[in-house]
Amino acid sequence: GAVVSQHPSRVICKSGTSVKIECRSLDFQATTMFWYRQFPKQSLMLMATSNEGSKATYEQGVEKDKFLINHASLTLSTLTVTSAHPEDSSFYICSASRGPEGTEAFFGQGTRLTVV
Amino acid sequence: GIQVEQSPPDLILQEGANSTLRCNFSDSVNNLQWFHQNPWGQLINLFYIPSGTKQNGRLSATTVATERYSLLYISSSQTTDSGVYFCAVANQGGKLIFGQGTELSVKP
């Protein structure tokens, strides 16, 4: 299957600082990537759609100024958690598909963010 | 938006037993996938199955798109099958919507 790589896998940061998470498609180009968030013992919630060369589309209730998404190339999307607070601590995971809408999606390894 | 319901929420099996996990969805879809989330959080792709039946070893899946449900079968379960199984569907824009998951525990 297609390979999606996410970095870092784990990060601890202090309140008020910003953290950048990278999502790369290693063996294919992805014009669209997706970012999800998962709290302990819960399901994955879609946060936003990352579009190469244009602005991200955020789901209702997700603060676009807190979760900055940049999709500068066909193989890289980044999620920056700005001015992080303890309530932002969560598991963040990205996905991408090799083909058009409706094709199989592959997920990165995820990033566990802890804000202290 | 589309709703996804999985059942049962929890399942405890003895090693060697068979099980069926169900996923109901509220609208037509162009993508349906089953995942196994390992203890480190990684989502392992099990099946891409918007319709039809597929088999992979001890696992198989069937999606009846016209009736808006999918089933995941696990036969001769092993302790390594333990974990959370997610069903996810998409009907527009490629956005996968996840069910709440089934937490499976296989006892030796």
Side-chain angles (χ1 to χ4, degrees):
Chain A
V3 180
V4 176
S5 178
Q6 200 171 327
H7 178 81
S9 58
R10 185 180 297 268
V11 59
I12 301 172
C13 72
K14 292 185 177 180
S15 286
T17 63
S18 295
V19 173
K20 181 183 286 188
I21 302 169
E22 293 186 347
C23 179
R24 294 181 184 273
S25 55
L26 297 186
D27 57 354
F28 65 99
Q29 294 181 331
T31 55
T32 304
M33 293 184 178
F34 300 92
W35 287 95
Y36 294 81
R37 181 177 186 177
Q38 185 181 31
F39 289 108
K41 299 293 185 181
Q42 294 189 22
S43 185
L44 283 78
M45 297 298 295
L46 178 65
M47 298 176 66
T49 303
S50 175
N51 304 297
E52 189 268 336
S54 64
K55 290 183 179 180
T57 306
Y58 291 82
E59 295 299 303
Q60 191 173 4
V62 177
E63 299 176 61
K64 62 181 181 180
D65 294 329
K66 166 163 277 294
F67 299 102
L68 298 180
I69 291 173
N70 185 11
H71 196 149
S73 78
L74 287 170
T75 59
L76 174 64
S77 175
T78 60
L79 169 68
T80 301
V81 183
T82 63
S83 187
H85 288 94
E87 57 265 31
D88 298 324
S89 298
S90 188
F91 187 68
Y92 295 88
I93 191 166
C94 67
S95 76
S97 297
R98 184 189 296 277
E101 176 183 335
T103 53
E104 186 175 7
F106 294 89
F107 284 76
Q109 304 94 319
T111 297
R112 195 164 302 281
L113 170 64
T114 303
V115 184
V116 298
Chain B
I2 195 167
Q3 305 295 314
V4 185
E5 293 184 2
Q6 289 185 243
S7 60
D10 304 280
L11 186 58
I12 300 175
L13 297 176
Q14 206 65 37
E15 197 169 27
N18 302 328
S19 63
T20 301
L21 281 58
R22 187 177 180 102
C23 174
N24 292 333
F25 45 97
S26 61
D27 203 349
S28 59
V29 299
N30 58 18
N31 183 2
L32 188 148
Q33 294 184 236
W34 284 96
F35 299 92
H36 180 205
Q37 189 168 38
N38 69 20
W40 298 272
Q42 173 81 52
L43 284 175
I44 309 300
N45 286 36
L46 297 178
F47 293 102
Y48 166 72
I49 189 166
S51 64
T53 297
K54 291 185 178 179
Q55 181 161 4
N56 184 3
R58 295 182 296 103
L59 302 182
S60 63
T62 295
T63 297
V64 183
T66 53
E67 298 187 21
R68 299 180 184 168
Y69 73 89
S70 183
L71 302 173
L72 176 68
Y73 304 96
I74 305 174
S75 64
S76 304
S77 58
Q78 300 176 358
T79 56
T80 51
D81 294 332
S82 296
V84 183
Y85 290 80
F86 286 107
C87 165
V89 304
N91 64 354
Q92 59 181 13
K95 298 191 287 187
L96 277 176
I97 305 301
F98 282 74
Q100 291 302 305
T102 293
E103 185 160 11
L104 174 65
S105 178
V106 181
K107 305 294 187 184

